[in-house]
């Protein structure tokens, strides 16, 4: 189990995206479902979480800029997996918005292979959720033909990604009277090499897709297990 900061009863911190493994964007969620972003900064081998104005309003006896807990840097991957497990529904993904583990696409592009880069980036960043039929700001637009989009997405994962991703899962959902496709992308953690699209490995920083550096690829085998 991750050494979570002790805050208030039933209050948890969920990871929204690490930057350089020493700071990040986190959301604080209490037992009543209220949320607030908090800041994080590195202190030796731990992350220290700092109260924002939102967090100060959410927590009793906490002022802006106060420390509200710490977490060992070495245990961040465990916390990352907890965030992944916490996203269990489409509604939760829409509420959180685009993040390191959540990507929205308004539609399936004519060249469906372009989706391969996003799938690869999510897989190489310990998995995540791709929602097709939703704009970047979380607005639901819907898909004209979910079945066609689903079929093309599965084909893309098999034909354009190396090695092929065969255990991807899809769900057809309806929100605001519109149909959307929820794609759950598995993690590449257990692999010796990252997934690649068109010969290139991609990952995520917060909600942005980026190309992995040569150094990151070289270190993959020692950090992905």
């Amino acid at each position: 189990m991750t050494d979570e900061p002790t805050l208030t009863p039933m209050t948890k911190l969920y990871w929204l995206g690490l930057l350089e493994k020493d700071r990040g964007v986190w959301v604080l969620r209490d037992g009543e479902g209220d949320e607030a972003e908090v800041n994080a900064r590195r202190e030796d081998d731990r992350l220290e979480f700092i109260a924002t104005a939102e967090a100060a309003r959410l927590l009793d006896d906490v002022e802006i800029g106060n420390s509200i807990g710490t977490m060992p840097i070495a245990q961040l991957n465990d916390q990352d997996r907890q965030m992944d497990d916490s996203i269990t529904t489409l509604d939760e993904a829409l509420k959180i918005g685009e993040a390191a583990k959540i990507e929205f696409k308004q539609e399936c592009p004519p060249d469906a292979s372009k989706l391969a880069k996003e799938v690869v980036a999510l897989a190489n960043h310990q998995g995540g959720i791709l929602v097709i039929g939703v704009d970047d700001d979380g607005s639901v637009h819907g898909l004209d033909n979910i079945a066609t989009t689903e079929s093309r997405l599965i084909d893309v994962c098999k034909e354009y990604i190396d090695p092929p991703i065969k255990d991807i899962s899809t769900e057809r959902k309806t929100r605001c009277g519109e149909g959307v496709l929820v794609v759950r992308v598995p993690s590449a953690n257990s692999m010796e090499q990252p997934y690649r699209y068109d010969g290139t490995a991609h990952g995520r920083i917060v909600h942005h897709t980026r190309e992995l550096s040569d150094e990151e690829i070289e270190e993959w085998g020692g950090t992905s297990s």
Side-chain angles (χ1 to χ4, degrees):
M1 291 292 293
T2 299
D3 181 17
E4 278 195 338
T6 300
L7 300 168
T8 58
M10 297 183 69
T11 299
K12 294 183 178 181
L13 283 168
Y14 291 96
W15 183 68
L16 286 188
L18 290 179
L19 300 176
E20 301 173 359
K21 297 185 178 181
D22 62 358
R23 53 195 175 93
V25 181
W26 297 69
V27 62
L28 181 73
R29 182 182 301 167
D30 68 11
E32 297 179 354
D34 293 322
E35 298 180 347
E37 285 190 6
V38 296
N39 296 323
R41 68 188 181 195
R42 183 166 186 161
E43 293 291 339
D44 297 324
D45 61 346
R46 304 178 72 85
L47 274 186
E48 181 179 17
F49 299 96
I50 308 299
T52 60
E54 290 182 353
R57 288 193 294 268
L58 186 62
L59 301 174
D60 294 331
D61 303 321
V62 171
E63 297 182 359
I64 300 173
N66 281 3
S67 174
I68 55 176
T70 64
M71 180 183 296
I73 294 289
Q75 296 184 13
L76 287 176
N77 284 342
D78 291 335
Q79 182 71 10
D80 186 11
R81 285 190 287 274
Q82 178 183 344
M83 176 61 183
D84 191 29
D85 293 341
S86 76
I87 307 173
T88 59
T89 69
L90 171 61
D91 290 332
E92 286 178 324
L94 293 175
K95 184 176 183 180
I96 293 171
E98 285 196 323
K101 289 180 170 291
I102 306 172
E103 175 70 18
F104 295 152
K105 287 295 179 185
Q106 182 173 337
E107 61 185 0
C108 183
D111 181 4
S113 64
K114 292 182 179 179
L115 285 177
K117 183 172 70 174
E118 304 297 344
V119 173
V120 162
L122 287 169
N124 289 339
H125 199 74
Q126 300 188 10
I129 293 177
L130 169 64
V131 184
I132 307 175
V134 175
D135 206 348
D136 290 346
D137 62 3
S139 302
V140 177
H141 288 268
L143 297 168
D144 292 334
N145 194 319
I146 295 181
T148 299
T149 299
E150 183 177 34
S151 177
R152 293 172 67 191
L153 188 282
I154 293 173
D155 288 343
V156 161
C157 292
K158 294 180 179 179
E159 296 177 10
Y160 293 92
I161 297 176
D162 183 28
I165 301 180
K166 299 179 180 179
D167 54 348
I168 199 167
S169 66
T170 59
E171 298 175 90
R172 303 178 191 182
K173 298 288 187 178
T174 301
R175 290 296 182 275
C176 304
E178 302 287 348
V180 300
L181 184 67
V182 179
V183 183
R184 297 183 184 276
V185 181
S187 171
N189 272 359
S190 61
M191 298 173 54
E192 294 183 359
Q193 290 290 325
Y195 285 110
R196 287 176 167 83
Y197 160 63
D198 197 24
T200 303
H202 291 83
R204 305 272 289 182
I205 291 184
V206 189
H207 60 277
H208 299 292
T209 294
R210 65 179 179 89
E211 185 176 334
L212 296 181
S213 67
D214 292 339
E215 291 77 12
E216 288 174 306
I217 294 174
E218 289 177 1
E219 296 173 357
W220 185 273
T223 60
S224 61
S225 59

